[in-house]
């Protein structure tokens, strides 16, 4: 029987960078030109099947980027296995916000969290304010995964989630940051399946608000 793993993924980033749109593309392969800003957070799931047959189920918390929801974020990134921190390549200020989120995750989230920095709206490259070189250099310095995506065209979207899925089970291997007394398999580690997982005790939007 193929291995099944379950991971908690949180999306963070400034309002309007396209977090919900990325999730909508990944989960339903759809895109809306006019999306309502997320209230609180939305919860969705999606699975990815890896080449070796491993099924990775993502439990996705799509957070609200508006400043007034900022204090809720720790509830969503606490115990997250992975975080996708999104900026908009046409708004350099959104990369600054992303850096702030990354600093906060590095300080407050689980030390084994996998962080992917995602430059969204690559279809608007003509209005680019953030160069690929700048973002990639920063990601390398901080040890983050990095990719550009377009929720609108779908470019790079499934790839970034698949890349995270491939990276996740290996984080529980002895060679990872598990350190001394490393683990023998994903299911035994912090990153693996938690069959008794807790749901966050907060109200969320309906799943369709993604
Ligand atoms: P909050 O929920 O407020 O945090 O915003 P968000 O990050 O979830 O942004 P959302 O997905 O709602 O997208 C904001 C706007 O950007 C919407 O009008 C989307 O249609 C648009 N958008 C999202 N992704 C893309 C993209 O890849 N390309 C283009 N051109 N527009 C996009
Ligand atoms: Mg949203």
């Amino acid at each position: 029987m193929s291995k099944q793993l379950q991971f908690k993924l949180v999306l963070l980033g400034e309002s309007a960078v396209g977090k919900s749109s990325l999730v909508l593309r990944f989960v339903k392969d759809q895109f809306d030109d006019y999306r309502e800003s997320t209230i609180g957070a939305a919860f969705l799931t999606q699975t990815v099947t890896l080449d070796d047959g491993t099924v990775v189920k993502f439990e996705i918390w799509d957070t609200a980027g508006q400043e007034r929801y900022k204090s809720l974020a720790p509830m969503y990134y606490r115990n997250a296995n992975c975080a996708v921190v999104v900026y908009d390549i046409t708004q350099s200020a959104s990369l600054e916000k992303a850096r702030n989120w990354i600093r906060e995750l590095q300080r407050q989230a689980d030390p084994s969290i996998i962080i992917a920095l995602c430059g969204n709206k690559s279809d608007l490259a003509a209005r680019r304010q953030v160069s690929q070189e700048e973002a990639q250099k920063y990601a390398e310095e901080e040890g983050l995964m990095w990719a550009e995506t377009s929720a609108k065209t779908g470019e790079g979207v499934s790839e970034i989630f698949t890349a995270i899925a491939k990276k996740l089970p290996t984080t529980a291997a002895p060679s990872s940051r598990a350190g001394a007394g490393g683990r023998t398999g994903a299911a035994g580690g912090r990153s693996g399946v938690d069959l008794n997982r807790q749901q966050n005790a907060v109200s969320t939007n309906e799943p369709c608000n993604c």
Side-chain angles (χ1 to χ4, degrees):
M1 214 178 95
S2 62
K3 194 163 53 168
Q4 302 214 0
L5 299 170
Q6 192 164 281
F7 296 102
K8 182 174 163 187
L9 182 149
V10 63
L11 281 112
L12 296 164
E14 190 173 20
S15 183
V17 294
K19 297 178 297 298
S20 301
S21 301
L22 283 167
V23 177
L24 182 66
R25 174 62 74 190
F26 177 51
V27 173
K28 297 191 185 154
D29 199 18
Q30 292 172 3
F31 178 78
D32 283 345
D33 271 311
Y34 302 100
R35 286 210 61 76
E36 302 222 338
S37 196
T38 304
I39 299 166
F43 177 74
L44 298 96
T45 64
Q46 176 63 302
T47 56
V48 170
T49 305
L50 302 180
D51 293 341
D52 67 358
T54 302
V55 177
V56 174
K57 180 179 178 188
F58 284 116
E59 296 187 329
I60 303 168
W61 287 99
D62 168 25
T63 65
Q66 287 179 40
E67 203 57 33
R68 62 188 146 136
Y69 297 114
K70 192 171 185 312
S71 61
L72 298 179
M75 283 195 291
Y76 300 106
Y77 65 65
R78 190 184 305 140
N79 302 326
N81 304 106
C82 40
V84 178
V85 181
V86 185
Y87 65 96
D88 172 349
I89 67 157
T90 73
Q91 303 290 336
S92 51
S94 70
L95 180 63
E96 277 315 304
K97 272 273 161 73
R99 287 176 189 258
N100 292 341
W101 279 120
I102 287 161
R103 270 193 290 272
E104 183 166 336
L105 289 171
Q106 288 169 335
R107 281 200 305 261
Q108 319 258 35
D110 189 306
S112 69
I113 193 168
I114 300 285
I115 305 174
L117 176 66
C118 175
N120 190 40
K121 308 197 186 182
S122 63
D123 57 290
L124 300 179
R127 286 164 38 194
R128 177 187 289 281
Q129 288 185 358
V130 180
S131 72
Q132 293 190 328
E133 292 72 23
E134 178 189 2
Q136 199 167 12
K137 182 166 173 285
Y138 166 66
E140 270 170 26
E141 284 166 4
E142 299 295 328
L144 316 171
M145 300 171 74
W146 170 80
E148 286 193 351
T149 55
S150 169
K152 184 166 186 167
T153 67
E155 188 183 15
V157 177
S158 62
E159 286 84 349
I160 193 165
F161 286 98
T162 304
I164 293 168
K166 283 185 178 160
K167 203 155 182 183
L168 273 164
T170 63
T171 62
S175 60
S176 76
R177 281 182 281 172
R183 308 176 182 106
T184 52
R190 191 163 25 188
S191 304
V193 186
D194 177 0
L195 295 172
N196 300 314
R197 72 187 192 281
Q198 303 154 351
Q199 287 294 342
N200 288 19
V202 293
S203 62
T204 64
N205 288 353
E206 288 302 308
C208 61
N209 182 27
C210 52

